Amino acid sequence: MASTKVWPKELNKLCADCELLFPPSGPWPWDGDEIGKFVDDKGEVREPSVEELDASATTHGCHLCRALLECILPGSLKFNRHDYPYWYELNKDFRYSVSLYVPRHDPDQHFRSVSLGLTATGARRWMGIQTRGLTIYRASPVVISGDGSDSNANPRRWIFKEVDPPAHSEGIEDAGLMDVDVVQPTSPTSFEPLAFEQLRRWVDECTQKHELCKIATSGQNSIFGFQQTVRLVDVGLDDSSPIRLVEGFRVNEVRYNTLSYQWTADTPKTSLKTQNKAAYCHAIPTQDWPKVYKDVVVVCRALGVRYIWIDSLCIVQDDLEDWKVQSSMMQDIYSHGYLNLANVLGKHADGLEVSRDPTATSPCILSRTLVDGSTEHWGCIEDGSWREQIHDAPLYTRGWCYQERFLSARTVQFGQQLYWECREQFASESVPSSKTFYDLKHPDLITTCEKDKEGAGRTLSPHEIWDTVVKIYTTTQLTQQSDKLVALRGVFNRFWERFEAEAEAGKAETGQHKQNIDWCIAGLWKRDLIRHLLWRRETYHLDSIPNPDRWPSAEDDAAEEQQLFLARATEVLNLYPSWSWAACPSYLGFGICFTTQPTDKVEDMIVIEQVVPGGTSTDYTAFDRSALTLRGLLYDGINAIDMDQVFSDWATKSESSGTVKHHAQLIRRSAWWIHFDRPLVQPIKTENVGVLMVRLVGLGEARQTRWMHGLLVESLGVGEDGLPTYRRMGFFLLRSKRGLIPGVEWPERFETGDEAERAVREVRGTRGTWPLLRLV
């Protein structure tokens, strides 16, 4: 049975097989004429099995075999090591081809790096299993003092030479090569003095030198104007300090940390409630605290930060009104926090402190003595592992935690090592400086796009930022479906602060200012409302979980999971307007994408006359349950579709998009696709189904093919006011070379652009006469 509990005795130790490849003296595979074998082609040098790599890494302590094994592991096992024995038993006999590849060299046979890749030689038995590899760079030890020899070097610190900067991957060819500082963590725990020392350096550099991070915490346009106050937990500055709840703080007047973590069944046992609030203001009993809270106290005191905001201790959990007020302030609370402490392993770690195998965290250094007596070093680092360790971390599959990360100016992630993230820097214990191997963007695209304006990268528009936020957020999960828009409200407020408040201020200067409370409509930006109606489901692969290629189905063993999913689909349909992405049930790996871009040449086929709020709030949350009154046309070509067959497929098929993506020939020279929003939760009569035309793409161009983007809708009858009422069922796409508008005939191809534009003007002239209908 495999084990991951045997720590190696030393870093950089090699087994006999690895020493055959990289002997401590003598030739290495790429020496001399041998380099030709690995240029522009991969040369196999080993073919170990999983069992052999595991035995070498865990029993004999081979650092390089551990690094190769880490490349094979699926992302889920990097977070949840308890499942490793099960994975090992399934895959121990499978072999992997280890190949060398020299991507760049010159005529003098100088090359900057070597790729050590792995390829599975047989079938793989774990969804999401990885076959990445290592990149090997020239390295030199950091000299402490003296004559510059290795004898005066720091054994933990190295310089990796001639590293391609992240800008190369973005096509910026003139970006110079970098020398990158690298550290080898040696402690079997992430709570070590050297790690905390590095954390203090990151904090000092960020608070003193990073202008974008200062801007992010300034909050000049706070939606609440800093009138609301919050509670904080006073942890004191040393072990003798009592821990208690304090009230009445404004977030811009005190230095405090925040916490991002995943609740467990034990969390409510010590949370703030009405009956213990007075006692907590005197002293909070900590003997039954979750370990993550106790670890937070250690970190805060080590950093000299007296206060911490923890949701379960700072919001009265059995007071709905208090919850509403405090949860609406997430933008201010997290944006103005000094440092966010994130337990990125989620339920797989009970606290911030993590036990670890140093060889799984530290880059491996290969060394040899040359003929002239000098020593040569090369450093190995895993390709792409940082992106997986952070972006796909279990914590960030949770909806509330995505918002917390987005809003926080600076976050330290506690995983297998410490990871630092702020608006201007991403670093880790092993690569602690601002120069790094990967360009990982801070999730707050609103602030970081300001940085992009100063560089050579393309800047995202506000429309693209909103689209990206929705796309990422809709891949996350929530325990309470009623939180689906609430858990993103802080991000919405941040968006308002940056893009709406400035516009309103401009109106005020011209005497045209009017409070704009309907700028956000059930998670859709009103400025772009028609385009935002055209969303559909999409599959997004998360490396940290098995790849979700479909929804749960009745054929699965997990019938209970399917029933829970159907119940969730029904619940969100009752909570939110059917035309909002919030009305779609969440499932890991599925998200929302918008089908047209702001730059597309389109013609709108609906006119929104009124947005009718469904609540009594005095801000935009009144529109979380709203209805649209609009003018539009139903596409008559749907009569040619066998909807009974479509519904049959809907109920029985599951495809990789996570919806039933049904496509077929409609009529001559036309084709259509349907992406359903949810599984079939109740029977639907085919005569009640229609397609609401929303946008035409390609109408105003001299070309043959036109696209109609619309909504598949179900008729709910006629309302008391006489308006036909419909509910969205899915996204409908039609490709045609014919005219698409009832009563309007077009040639298959416009001869000129002017002819196409005249046709468009004719359509625009009739929109005011189209019938009114309601979309709920």
Side-chain angles (χ1 to χ4, degrees), residues 603 605 699 741 743-747 750 754-770:
E603 190 65 26
M605 297 302 295
L699 173 63
I741 303 176
V744 178
E745 294 294 332
W746 290 321
F750 294 114
D754 289 342
E755 183 182 358
E757 182 58 33
R758 284 194 298 271
V760 171
R761 286 198 297 268
E762 291 178 8
V763 173
R764 292 174 187 156
T766 63
R767 283 191 299 210
T769 64
W770 292 347

Side-chain angles (χ1 to χ4, degrees), residues 55-74:
S56 177
T58 59
T59 304
H60 304 296
C62 178
H63 196 164
L64 185 56
C65 283
R66 167 61 66 191
L68 293 172
L69 187 60
E70 290 293 311
C71 294
I72 295 171
L73 293 182

Side-chain angles (χ1 to χ4, degrees), residues 454-471:
E454 302 172 2
R458 190 181 72 85
T459 303
L460 294 177
S461 69
H463 302 276
E464 291 172 314
I465 292 173
W466 188 289
D467 291 0
T468 303
V469 166
V470 170
K471 171 182 171 180

Side-chain angles (χ1 to χ4, degrees), residues 34-43 100-105:
E34 297 296 309
I35 189 175
K37 294 181 180 180
F38 309 113
V39 174
D40 300 326
D41 195 12
K42 294 182 179 179
L100 281 173
Y101 173 62
V102 180
R104 296 182 181 89
H105 72 105

Side-chain angles (χ1 to χ4, degrees), residues 327-601:
S327 64
S328 70
M329 296 176 60
M330 292 299 102
Q331 187 248 347
D332 279 351
I333 291 171
Y334 276 88
S335 292
H336 290 83
Y338 185 67
L339 177 65
N340 184 41
L341 314 178
N343 178 20
V344 292
L345 298 184
K347 64 182 180 181
H348 301 308
D350 57 1
L352 300 180
E353 183 178 12
V354 176
S355 297
R356 63 191 183 185
D357 180 347
T359 58
T361 303
S362 297
C364 176
I365 302 298
L366 306 174
S367 302
R368 64 169 169 173
T369 302
L370 301 177
V371 176
D372 61 4
S374 62
T375 304
E376 181 182 67
H377 306 282
W378 291 77
C380 311
I381 195 162
E382 185 179 350
D383 298 334
S385 61
W386 291 8
R387 186 175 302 277
E388 172 189 282
Q389 293 281 356
I390 299 304
H391 288 341
D392 293 348
L395 183 69
Y396 297 129
T397 65
R398 309 303 303 172
W400 283 101
C401 297
Y402 167 75
Q403 172 175 256
E404 292 159 10
R405 182 185 176 203
F406 184 104
L407 296 172
S408 300
R410 53 191 74 89
T411 296
V412 56
Q413 333 267 358
F414 289 84
Q416 292 297 320
Q417 58 177 310
L418 303 190
Y419 292 91
W420 172 266
E421 180 179 64
C422 66
R423 269 33 176 221
E424 296 196 20
Q425 182 179 0
F426 186 93
S428 70
E429 280 183 74
S430 57
V431 187
S433 71
S434 58
K435 291 182 179 181
T436 184
F437 294 90
Y438 308 106
D439 187 17
L440 298 183
K441 300 286 187 181
H442 190 281
D444 178 10
L445 300 174
I446 298 172
T447 300
T448 52
C449 75
E450 299 297 326
K451 180 181 180 181
D452 291 340
K453 289 180 180 179
E454 302 172 2
R458 190 181 72 85
T459 303
L460 294 177
S461 69
H463 302 276
E464 291 172 314
I465 292 173
W466 188 289
D467 291 0
T468 303
V469 166
V470 170
K471 171 182 171 180
I472 297 173
Y473 176 72
T474 51
T475 66
T476 65
Q477 304 297 293
L478 293 162
T479 302
Q480 301 296 329
Q481 298 304 307
S482 56
D483 291 348
K484 201 160 190 180
L485 292 178
V486 179
L488 200 60
R489 190 178 180 187
V491 177
F492 288 154
N493 290 346
R494 181 80 179 86
F495 202 89
W496 174 88
E497 177 185 282
R498 175 61 182 84
F499 298 113
E500 291 288 333
E502 293 181 0
E504 290 185 24
K507 293 178 182 178
E509 293 176 0
T510 60
Q512 300 176 350
H513 178 66
K514 181 180 179 180
Q515 187 179 20
N516 177 20
I517 66 169
D518 63 346
W519 72 273
C520 179
I521 310 295
L524 281 62
W525 192 15
K526 188 179 181 181
R527 285 197 207 178
D528 211 6
L529 185 55
I530 292 179
R531 188 176 71 86
H532 278 179
L533 290 174
L534 293 170
W535 51 265
R536 66 172 176 82
R537 279 191 172 275
E538 186 59 87
T539 300
Y540 298 106
H541 174 66
L542 293 179
D543 191 46
S544 60
I545 60 172
N547 188 24
D549 58 353
R550 55 183 174 79
W551 276 329
S553 66
E555 289 75 25
D556 288 342
D557 294 334
E560 182 180 356
E561 182 183 6
Q562 186 213 15
Q563 293 304 315
L564 290 173
F565 183 67
L566 291 176
R568 188 159 70 243
T570 303
E571 180 184 3
V572 294
L573 189 58
N574 293 328
L575 284 171
Y576 308 106
S578 67
W579 41 264
S580 168
W581 51 260
C584 277
S586 301
Y587 194 60
L588 275 180
F590 299 144
I592 297 298
C593 71
F594 295 97
T595 62
T596 61
Q597 301 304 314
T599 55
D600 290 343
K601 185 173 180 60

